[in-house]
Amino acid sequence: MAPLSWRHHTLLQVLLSRGPLSERDFHALFSAISGGKNPATHRQLFNDTLLKINKELTYLQFELRAGINQYDGTVYYGVVNNIADEESKLGSKFSVPQIAFHKGLLEAIVHEAGNDGSITNIDALNTRIENQVVIADASQGSQSRLPTSITNFSLSQKEKTLNELIQDRWLSYTPTGKIGLGIRSFLDLRSWLRSNDIPSCEVCNEACIKASCCPNEECNVRIHGYCLKKKFSQRKASRACGCGTEWPRLEGEDDGAEDEDVNEPEEDQVPSANQHSRTRRRGVKSELVEENERAGPSARMTRRALRSSKAEAVEAAQEVPSAAGPSQSTRASKRRKN
């Protein structure tokens, strides 16, 4: 297999140095290094490039993958670690109590009762970490005990760790101002999310961190907001759940549907520019006809008289050169005789 080219290296270096990129930025980067080729129109080239990179990254247990931010539906690309445990994702930058705090935050967010996938800042700081790390004594029969670093993990240390996790994009502030998962968690912790009994989306089969639930309380179906919009984007698409319950419209979806039904004209009713022009000309013509009728016969006679006078003036102007011609020739002949 041929080695990676400078184009592959550039994609990897940018992702490793800047972190996950939105689909828009990643496509712009790909277009810049491939001579202006848009991934949307050169999909095969784009897929082949990612496949070649991932074949090389397999030896390091890394992968270049795409993931969706479930809070706004934006697609991101990033290089992730394929090792299953979440401690390896954080690397050596964070200490044991910080990793335990992160695990506690993850559990609090993904198991949030309102299916909103977020917790308040106060709830985040009050997250207990004692049950996240347990180290047993080497001696037999001794009870498990917690290390001092865990028991002495203060509120100020939690606040500092929380800010670092948000800055590194493991966590994020949601549009409502709460604490939610960051794009790195959605990308790197996919296997961890699937293995923690988190319900999956009925449409995309990904873990539902922020999702809409079926209105039927006895139904366990969950669907991401962006999956719902895609599923029900067509006018005639059925909004019925598998249990037969009608899915409610999402925020902002009602306005769009009403605009399509009420304000959007049918194809044969859409007026073109030519139709507007012809309509305008017909309107002007009708106005002139009405004005002429209101003016009466006297006004029409006056306009006929003006046109007749103009025609007589033109005929008179044409007769002047012919009258002046003989006199000039007579004078010229007299000069020659003299």
Side-chain angles (χ1 to χ4, degrees):
M1 180 170 48
L4 298 180
S5 67
W6 67 269
R7 295 180 175 85
H8 303 96
H9 293 163
T10 302
L11 289 175
L12 284 173
Q13 289 169 357
V14 172
L15 289 175
L16 291 174
S17 61
R18 295 174 55 185
L21 296 178
S22 65
E23 183 178 45
R24 176 182 176 183
D25 293 339
F26 188 71
H27 283 186
L29 174 63
F30 179 85
S31 179
I33 65 174
S34 60
K37 295 180 179 179
N38 189 340
T41 55
H42 296 78
R43 198 67 191 178
Q44 188 62 44
L45 175 63
F46 180 74
N47 293 337
D48 291 343
T49 301
L50 300 190
L51 180 61
K52 185 175 181 61
I53 292 176
N54 282 328
K55 285 183 177 179
E56 297 294 333
L57 292 179
T58 302
Y59 299 101
L60 302 175
Q61 296 188 13
F62 281 87
E63 180 187 357
L64 196 167
R65 75 167 57 144
I68 300 179
N69 185 336
Q70 296 190 17
Y71 301 103
D72 58 13
T74 304
V75 177
Y76 285 84
Y77 287 85
V79 177
V80 302
N81 188 347
N82 278 331
I83 300 178
D85 58 295
E86 68 275 8
E87 287 87 349
S88 63
K89 314 296 183 180
L90 296 172
S92 59
K93 174 182 178 179
F94 294 94
S95 63
V96 172
Q98 287 178 318
I99 294 176
F101 181 55
H102 181 233
K103 290 175 62 178
L105 291 173
L106 285 176
E107 292 183 358
I109 292 172
V110 300
H111 295 299
E112 190 269 330
N115 299 317
D116 187 48
S118 62
I119 57 177
T120 64
N121 197 284
I122 295 178
D123 290 338
L125 296 177
N126 289 332
T127 300
R128 299 179 62 86
I129 63 175
E130 288 80 1
N131 59 340
Q132 300 297 334
V133 177
V134 177
I135 301 178
D137 287 338
S139 59
Q140 294 181 355
S142 62
Q143 295 181 351
S144 299
R145 65 179 180 84
L146 293 173
T148 307
S149 60
I150 295 293
T151 56
N152 294 338
F153 198 62
S154 63
L155 186 63
S156 60
Q157 289 175 306
K158 288 183 178 180
E159 187 173 7
K160 179 182 178 181
T161 303
L162 181 62
N163 292 332
E164 290 181 4
L165 290 171
I166 293 175
Q167 183 177 359
D168 291 347
R169 303 168 76 180
W170 291 105
L171 300 177
S172 67
Y173 283 111
T174 66
T176 59
K178 295 183 178 181
I179 305 296
L181 298 187
I183 186 57
R184 291 188 68 181
S185 292
F186 285 118
L187 287 170
D188 282 60
L189 303 182
R190 179 183 295 176
S191 58
W192 182 87
L193 295 173
R194 288 177 175 175
S195 62
N196 275 265
D197 297 329
I198 301 173
S200 59
C201 175
E202 190 75 8
V203 176
C204 67
N205 204 33
E206 290 291 336
C208 283
I209 306 303
K210 177 177 174 56
S212 298
C213 295
C214 177
N216 184 0
E217 295 181 357
E218 298 180 358
C219 181
N220 296 323
V221 172
R222 294 187 184 183
I223 303 180
H224 297 121
Y226 47 85
C227 290
L228 272 176
K229 292 181 180 179
K230 183 178 181 180
K231 181 179 177 65
F232 302 140
S233 59
Q234 299 180 357
R235 288 186 178 182
K236 297 183 180 180
S238 173
R239 301 187 67 89
C241 179
C243 66
T245 307
E246 189 82 2
W247 278 90
R249 295 187 180 275
L250 300 176
E251 182 180 356
E253 191 179 356
D254 287 333
D255 297 336
E258 291 175 1
D259 290 343
E260 290 180 357
D261 295 336
V262 178
N263 297 328
E264 183 179 352
E266 298 295 336
E267 185 176 355
D268 57 349
Q269 295 177 348
V270 179
S272 64
N274 292 334
Q275 289 173 334
H276 280 298
S277 178
R278 288 194 296 269
T279 302
R280 179 58 183 166
R281 287 198 297 269
R282 286 196 297 268
V284 173
K285 183 177 179 180
S286 62
E287 291 176 1
L288 293 176
V289 171
E290 292 176 357
E291 182 180 357
N292 189 27
E293 292 177 352
R294 287 195 300 267
S298 59
R300 289 196 292 270
M301 292 297 295
T302 303
R303 284 195 289 271
R304 292 195 188 96
L306 288 175
R307 286 196 295 269
S308 177
S309 300
K310 183 178 179 181
E312 293 175 357
V314 171
E315 293 176 358
Q318 292 174 349
E319 293 176 355
V320 169
S322 60
S327 62
Q328 291 175 355
S329 60
T330 303
R331 288 194 296 269
S333 61
K334 288 183 179 180
R335 284 197 298 269
R336 283 195 299 271
K337 289 179 180 181
N338 294 334

